[in-house]
Amino acid sequence: MQELYDMAFTRHERAAAKRGEFAAAWGTYVDGHPWDIDVRNVNPCTLEVLAVMREPAPVEMALIFSEWLAALRAALDNGLYALAATLSGRNPPPQAERIQFPICTTPREFKQQSNRLSMLPTHVVEALEKSQPYQSPYGPESNLTYWIHELARTDRHRSLHVGLGRIDAHRIRIAVPPGVKIQFDETVTPYRQIEGELIVGRFTCSRPIAPREVQADLRGVAIAPEIQAWAGFTLNGSTQSLQDRMIYTEIFTRNHLENLAAMGNVTPIGGFTTIDPGSKNDVSQVRMAE
C-alpha cells in the first residue's frame, strides 16, 4: 500500500507550495500600498497616528489559504486510510467510508469519533488519542492540529477566511514644527491585526498642534499577513507570525503522517524527519526538522 501513503505525503507537500503562493500574493498586495497614514487630534496637545486600510486583501489570498488548509486536512485523512488499508491488506479497507482522522477537543468527543474507527486495531486508536488537541497542556486551541480542523471546517461550511495585515515591527518617526517637544506614549504597542484602522502611535506635544503640522514616517512599521480567525493564536503562551504558524502546522501534520507510516511499516517520501521509527511511536511527540 506504499502508493496510498505516497499520495498522502504528496498532498502534504502541496501545502508547502500553497504557502509559497500565499506569500507571493501577499507581496503583490503590499506592493500596491494598501494602507494610508492618518494623524488625528485626541485633544489639542495629543495626537494619534493610525494605519488605515485603503484596500482589503484580495480574495485570491483567501482562496490560496483555503487550498493550503484542504491539502493538510486531506493528507491526514488519506494517511489514516492508507494505514487502514495496509493493516487490513485490502483497498478499500473495511468500512472505508467511516475513516477520518479524528481531531477532538474533549475525551467525550474522541470516544464518539473512535466508535467510527472500529476497523482499526486498539493500539492505533490509542495512539491517535495521544495526539488529540485536548491533550495539550495549554488547552485545545494551543494545538495546531485543532486549527487545521477548525479553520478548514469554517472554510468548507461558512466562508473563506479574511486576510488582514498585522503589525510585526513598530518604529515610527515624527517631525513637528521647530521648538515643539513631544513625548511618546509607550503603552501603544500595536502588534496586532489592522481591521479597518489601527493606532500605531500616540504622542503629546509641548503646545497645541494640528495634524497638518505633523509629518509621520512609518517606514519602520512592518506589516505582515494575518488570517482574521487565527489572529489570537498563541503557541506555548507566545504569539507567532502567520508564516511560522503555517510552517509549524505543516511540521506537525507531517509528524502525524510519519507516525501513521511507521505503524504501517512504510517509509514515507523523503524518509522520517520528525520521528525515529526505531523507537516507540508516540504521536504526541514532535522532533522539529532542522
Side-chain angles (χ1 to χ4, degrees):
M1 303 298 178
Q2 177 75 51
E3 69 280 2
L4 293 177
Y5 281 102
D6 289 350
M7 286 188 282
F9 279 90
T10 299
R11 278 192 184 272
H12 176 269
E13 292 175 358
R14 183 66 175 165
K18 286 298 174 182
R19 174 165 46 84
E21 288 183 34
F22 184 87
W26 174 260
T28 300
Y29 170 54
V30 298
D31 284 348
H33 304 288
W35 297 281
D36 286 330
I37 301 171
D38 196 8
V39 181
R40 304 174 190 170
N41 277 106
V42 178
N43 59 51
C45 293
T46 301
L47 299 96
E48 291 178 337
V49 182
L50 302 96
V52 182
M53 184 172 66
R54 177 173 55 81
E55 180 182 344
V59 174
E60 177 193 12
M61 287 182 60
L63 289 169
I64 296 170
F65 187 76
S66 172
E67 292 165 354
W68 177 81
L69 283 172
L72 293 178
R73 188 63 180 96
L76 290 172
D77 292 338
N78 291 172
L80 189 58
Y81 180 95
L83 178 59
T86 299
L87 296 178
S88 68
R90 295 165 53 186
N91 183 23
Q95 301 176 301
E97 72 283 355
R98 296 165 63 95
I99 298 172
Q100 183 181 44
F101 190 94
I103 301 176
C104 305
T105 59
T106 66
R108 180 180 179 182
E109 184 184 357
F110 180 80
K111 184 176 181 180
Q112 292 172 341
Q113 289 203 27
S114 65
N115 290 334
R116 296 173 52 86
L117 301 176
S118 58
M119 77 295 294
L120 296 173
T122 301
H123 77 275
V124 172
V125 177
E126 290 175 348
L128 289 170
E129 185 172 15
K130 291 181 181 180
S131 73
Q132 295 305 302
Y134 65 80
Q135 305 279 15
S136 299
Y138 291 94
E141 292 185 6
S142 70
N143 184 288
L144 290 167
T145 313
Y146 162 87
W147 285 101
I148 295 174
H149 175 71
E150 186 64 21
L151 293 170
R153 182 176 62 85
T154 300
D155 178 84
R156 285 194 309 270
H157 302 302
R158 300 180 191 174
S159 178
L160 293 169
H161 288 287
V162 176
L164 301 169
R166 180 187 181 95
I167 304 295
D168 265 14
H170 179 231
R171 182 180 179 85
I172 64 175
R173 293 182 175 88
I174 300 297
V176 294
V180 176
K181 297 180 179 180
I182 65 172
Q183 179 67 47
F184 279 101
D185 182 347
E186 296 184 0
T187 66
V188 178
T189 53
Y191 296 103
R192 54 187 177 275
Q193 64 273 18
I194 305 171
E195 299 185 51
E197 60 183 34
L198 177 68
I199 297 170
V200 296
R202 184 183 300 115
F203 58 96
T204 299
C205 301
S206 56
R207 67 164 175 81
I209 191 171
R212 64 177 182 276
E213 299 178 82
V214 177
Q215 291 183 336
D217 182 352
L218 268 63
R219 285 177 291 180
V221 176
I223 303 178
E226 184 56 274
I227 294 296
Q228 188 176 46
W230 207 7
F233 172 80
T234 60
L235 183 63
N236 296 338
S238 301
T239 59
Q240 310 288 328
S241 70
L242 179 62
Q243 171 78 357
D244 284 349
R245 269 173 275 155
M246 293 175 79
I247 292 172
Y248 294 152
T249 301
E250 291 168 25
I251 293 172
F252 273 76
T253 301
R254 183 171 178 99
N255 176 253
H256 291 310
L257 292 175
E258 288 187 10
N259 275 282
L260 295 171
M263 284 188 280
N265 293 316
V266 171
T267 299
I269 294 175
F272 290 95
T273 61
T274 70
I275 68 169
D276 178 0
S279 63
K280 182 180 178 180
N281 296 317
D282 184 349
V283 293
S284 67
Q285 301 297 317
V286 178
R287 176 168 61 82
M288 291 295 185
E290 296 180 356

